[in-house]
Amino acid sequence: MPTLVNITAATPTGVQIWGFHGRCTVDHVAKAVETIAAGLRGEGHTIHIMSGTHGRCKGQVGAVAKREEKFAVEDRALANPKTADGKTVRLDVHDFNTADLSDPDLSDVGPDGVAMHKLNAEIAASKTGADSNNTFLLAYCCSAGTPS
């Protein structure tokens, strides 16, 4: 059973990024969306689901190993997230890092660096507006690292 982790818990006023210790499935992602939403208050929240891979775990693409099982737009029906005060939370699914993780311009940083560069760029490009509250869920195995 994977553990949901708030990676940015030390910066509660910044953009929040959540991930998993361990391998996750689309069902874990749906449950995580519900859990994250329940901790929010007010309107205008968007949870961005980054369905991809960090490139380290062999065969892991999307939320789980098989490509057809990734958390995709169609999987929004798995979750009906509401804030603690009953407001609807928008879901925005990003098909993230599902292809080759090589980048000739970043050859000196290796696959992990390329994955982080892509993630940071995607997060920066995904924010839904200055008046929105954006939260990111890294919907792939070990996205919060491994437990210490």
Side-chain angles (χ1 to χ4, degrees), residues 9-138:
T11 56
T13 59
V15 171
Q16 295 299 289
I17 302 173
W18 294 72
F20 292 97
H21 287 316
R23 294 181 185 261
C24 58
T25 67
V26 292
D27 293 327
H28 296 124
V29 174
K31 176 79 171 139
V33 165
E34 301 280 345
T35 299
I36 293 166
L40 303 173
R41 296 191 76 72
E43 295 191 31
H45 288 279
T46 300
I47 298 176
H48 298 270
I49 300 164
M50 311 305 282
S51 186
T53 179
H54 48 57
R56 186 179 294 254
C57 295
K58 195 161 187 74
Q60 291 292 302
V61 177
V64 294
K66 293 186 225 155
R67 177 77 175 128
E68 63 272 13
E69 291 184 68
K70 74 180 184 70
F71 196 94
V73 173
E74 298 82 29
D75 295 317
R76 291 180 193 196
L78 290 172
N80 182 24
K82 300 280 187 202
T83 63
D85 52 350
K87 307 295 184 196
T88 299
V89 175
R90 182 175 175 265
L91 297 181
D92 192 359
V93 180
H94 302 266
D95 197 15
F96 167 72
N97 256 9
T98 56
D100 181 25
L101 285 176
S102 63
D103 185 328
D105 295 333
L106 297 171
S107 61
D108 59 327
V109 298
D112 290 342
V114 172
M116 287 307 298
H117 176 76
K118 284 179 145 185
L119 177 62
N120 290 335
E122 184 81 17
I123 286 174
S126 298
K127 294 182 183 176
T128 55
D131 60 342
S132 296
N133 298 308
N134 297 283
T135 301
F136 292 85
L137 173 59
L138 309 182

